[in-house]
């Protein structure tokens, strides 16, 4: 049978600031997910939160971008929004950026990652005798938060020794999206290992380019899908951080979980954090963690599931970052964060002008730039975007 896994995630309100959704909101989304399973729309569903973002993980047979599946999620998020509003929670409905999307909800605010694949988990199936997958959800993060760890997990044998094996060793195709191109989805496909350097040329820029999907060159099967949109490009203004999700199939013809998560031991610096405008380390955390630490560090959770022959998965899961081994990394992230923020607003600690997502910062800068004047009394019209075009 063909199975689709859909990850649909949104921030629709949170308690005491941008920390976590309330239990009422979580219960409401869980009840809607249960009803969708009862009605037969979904085979199975899991609901969790990472910081203030509620994430629905669903299996079904309706394919990617299915209107009914997406509308189910939209309506669940709307109901949670109503609860958030009733209780006066912060940012009620924050990620629901359009009024009523009629079909699929890609580009409407929520983060979406989906993969459809053939599902026949029997011992004699040479490709996928068992289907295991991981769901990563990030909060307070820019859209390219997964660029480095996905690259290292799927293209670098220093992290994924599996790449030295015959089947995985044929490499992976990285489909990379240019998120600054608002005219439509603009993609390039580059192959690891031969395009290794070219991939890094793009992925170094986490704010503009993001891995959108990764495909096994041995089997043609999609290994990973990542939500890659820039919220402020949808909303036209800052409405919250992009907080991407990723769906990653593992084992067998794909890297193993430990190969995929070991890059997170770096707690690498990314754009995000407070007001979406700082450069701070990514801290791996258990699912259902609130953002309450100092600074508003970017967080990422990672849960693993196994899919049975009927597409059921949600009765148990492995919480990869809920392990004492990651306490060391959490301390490292905290130390890196303290170190970076000790220089406050200066230089590399905050995103450069072009990447500042909090539109108010741009206004503040713009207001001051307008007041600049040439020493000789000639009127200045320099604004940051035009500064290079000044003729004097
Ligand atoms: P969220 O997108 O998670 O609401 O965070 C945005 C922010 O600005 C944090 O300071
Ligand atoms: Mg929020
Ligand atoms: Mg969030």
């Amino acid at each position: 049978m063909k199975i689709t896994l859909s990850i649909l995630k949104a921030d629709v309100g949170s308690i005491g600031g941008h920390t976590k959704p309330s239990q009422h909101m979580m219960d409401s989304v869980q009840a809607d997910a249960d009803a969708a399973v009862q009605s037969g729309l979904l085979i199975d569903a899991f609901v969790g939160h990472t910081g203030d973002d509620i994430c629905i993980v669903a299996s079904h047979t309706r394919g990617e971008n299915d209107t009914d599946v997406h509308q189910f999620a939209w309506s669940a998020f709307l109901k949670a929004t109503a609860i958030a509003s009733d209780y006066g929670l912060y940012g009620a409905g924050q990620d629901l950026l359009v009024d009523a999307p009629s079909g699929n909800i890609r580009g409407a605010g929520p983060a979406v990652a989906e993969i459809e694949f053939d599902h026949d988990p029997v011992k004699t199936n040479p490709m996928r005798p068992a289907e295991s997958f991981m769901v990563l959800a990030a909060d307070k993060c820019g859209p390219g938060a997964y660029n480095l760890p996905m690259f290292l997990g799927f293209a670098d044998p220093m992290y994924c020794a599996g790449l030295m094996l015959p089947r995985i060793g044929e490499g992976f195709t990285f489909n990379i999206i240019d998120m600054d191109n608002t005219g439509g989805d603009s993609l390039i496909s580059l192959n690891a290992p031969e395009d290794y350097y070219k991939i890094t040329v793009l992925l170094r820029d986490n704010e503009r380019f993001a891995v959108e999907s990764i495909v096994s060159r041995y089997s043609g099967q999609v290994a990973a899908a990542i939500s890659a949109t820039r919220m402020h490009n949808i909303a036209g203004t800052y409405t919250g951080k992009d907080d991407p999700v990723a769906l990653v199939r593992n084992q067998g013809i794909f890297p193993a979980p430990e190969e995929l998560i070991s890059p997170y031991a770096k707690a690498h610096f990314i754009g995000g954090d407070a007001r979406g405008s700082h450069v701070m380390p990514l801290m791996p955390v258990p699912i259902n963690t609130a953002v309450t630490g100092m600074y508003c560090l970017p967080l990422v959770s990672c849960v693993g599931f196994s899919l049975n022959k009927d597409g059921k998965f949600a009765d148990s899961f492995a919480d990869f970052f809920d392990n004492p081994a990651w306490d060391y990394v959490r301390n490292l992230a905290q130390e890196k964060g303290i170190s970076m923020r000790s220089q406050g607003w200066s230089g590399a600690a905050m995103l450069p002008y072009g990447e500042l997502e909090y539109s108010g910062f741009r206004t503040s800068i713009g207001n001051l730039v307008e007041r600049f004047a040439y020493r000789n009394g000639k009127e200045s019209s320099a604004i940051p975007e035009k500064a290079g075009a000044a003729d004097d």
Side-chain angles (χ1 to χ4, degrees):
M1 76 198 283
K2 275 211 184 293
I3 285 269
T4 306
L5 294 174
S6 297
I7 320 296
L8 304 128
K9 186 230 68 177
D11 175 352
V12 289
S14 46
I15 313 168
H18 46 228
T19 60
K20 64 171 187 179
S22 71
Q23 196 56 48
H24 286 104
M25 294 165 68
M26 293 300 291
D27 291 346
S28 167
V29 176
Q30 184 69 60
D32 282 356
D34 292 344
V37 173
Q38 284 294 316
S39 76
L41 174 70
L42 304 179
I43 300 171
D44 210 352
F46 169 91
V47 179
H49 76 86
T50 304
D52 56 12
D53 300 324
I54 302 177
C55 185
I56 303 171
V57 182
S59 61
H60 55 93
T61 53
R62 306 174 67 103
E64 296 171 21
N65 295 315
D66 178 73
T67 297
D68 293 337
V69 171
H70 282 220
Q71 288 296 322
F72 138 73
W74 186 266
S75 123
F77 291 142
L78 271 183
K79 284 193 213 163
T81 297
I83 296 169
S85 301
D86 273 0
Y87 283 83
L89 302 191
Y90 177 74
Q94 176 185 289
D95 285 356
L96 308 186
L97 299 180
V98 305
D99 268 349
S102 53
N104 82 67
I105 62 173
R106 273 183 199 270
V112 180
E114 299 183 295
I115 305 178
E116 185 185 43
F117 52 87
D118 283 320
H119 186 55
D120 181 25
V122 290
K123 262 200 166 138
T124 48
N125 181 337
M127 290 295 172
R128 299 297 282 162
E131 184 62 46
S132 50
F133 65 95
M134 300 146 89
V135 175
L136 294 115
D139 189 34
K140 316 304 176 205
C141 287
Y146 302 117
N147 279 2
L148 178 64
M150 286 291 179
F151 176 76
L152 297 176
F154 279 95
D156 190 336
M158 295 288 282
Y159 294 82
C160 176
L163 292 166
M164 295 187 279
L165 298 170
R167 299 191 299 175
I168 308 187
E170 290 190 25
F172 291 88
T173 301
F174 285 72
N175 295 316
I176 297 170
I177 189 162
D178 180 351
M179 293 173 289
D180 274 1
N181 190 336
T182 50
D185 287 353
S186 169
L187 293 144
I188 186 172
S189 295
L190 295 171
N191 288 326
E194 57 270 38
D195 293 328
Y196 191 98
Y197 297 158
K198 293 190 179 79
I199 297 171
T200 65
V201 167
L202 296 177
L203 295 191
R204 58 158 288 283
D205 187 344
N206 289 329
E207 312 301 322
R208 176 167 178 184
F209 302 106
V211 180
E212 203 234 16
S213 59
I214 299 173
V215 180
S216 151
R217 296 174 71 192
Y218 166 71
S219 64
Q221 298 224 20
V222 180
I226 298 127
S227 66
T229 45
R230 279 186 82 165
M231 285 281 232
H232 79 198
N233 286 349
I234 301 173
T237 176
Y238 183 82
T239 58
K241 210 54 192 163
D242 309 274
D243 300 344
V245 289
L247 169 59
V248 188
R249 300 166 73 197
N250 63 32
Q251 304 277 190
I253 56 170
F254 304 129
E258 64 277 18
E259 292 164 336
L260 293 162
I261 58 177
S262 59
Y264 292 90
K266 292 182 185 307
H268 67 300
F269 286 110
I270 57 166
D273 198 77
R275 302 183 192 282
S277 301
H278 292 262
V279 177
M280 287 289 267
L282 181 60
M283 180 188 273
V285 295
I287 188 76
N288 300 327
T289 295
V291 173
T292 52
M294 66 186 87
Y295 305 134
C296 192
L297 279 187
L299 306 182
V300 62
S301 66
C302 178
V303 284
F305 301 93
S306 282
L307 206 59
N308 82 1
K309 63 176 180 358
D310 304 317
K312 290 262 178 204
F313 66 91
D315 69 321
S316 57
F317 62 91
D319 190 340
F320 283 102
F321 295 145
D322 187 13
N323 177 304
W326 293 97
D327 288 344
Y328 170 80
V329 178
R330 285 188 267 277
N331 284 334
L332 171 70
Q334 193 58 52
E335 271 173 29
K336 288 177 73 168
I338 290 173
S339 167
M340 182 61 102
R341 286 297 277 275
S342 73
Q343 69 177 58
W345 40 260
S346 177
M350 284 187 83
L351 288 167
Y353 176 85
E355 308 300 342
L356 275 179
E357 302 238 8
Y358 207 77
S359 348
F361 283 128
R362 287 169 185 263
T363 310
S364 301
I365 297 168
N367 289 345
L368 289 172
V369 168
E370 269 169 28
R371 289 171 49 193
F372 275 70
Y374 290 109
R375 216 191 286 278
N376 62 10
K378 188 178 149 193
E379 216 174 283
S380 165
S381 63
I383 59 170
E385 286 92 345
K386 292 182 186 162
D391 60 359
D392 212 353

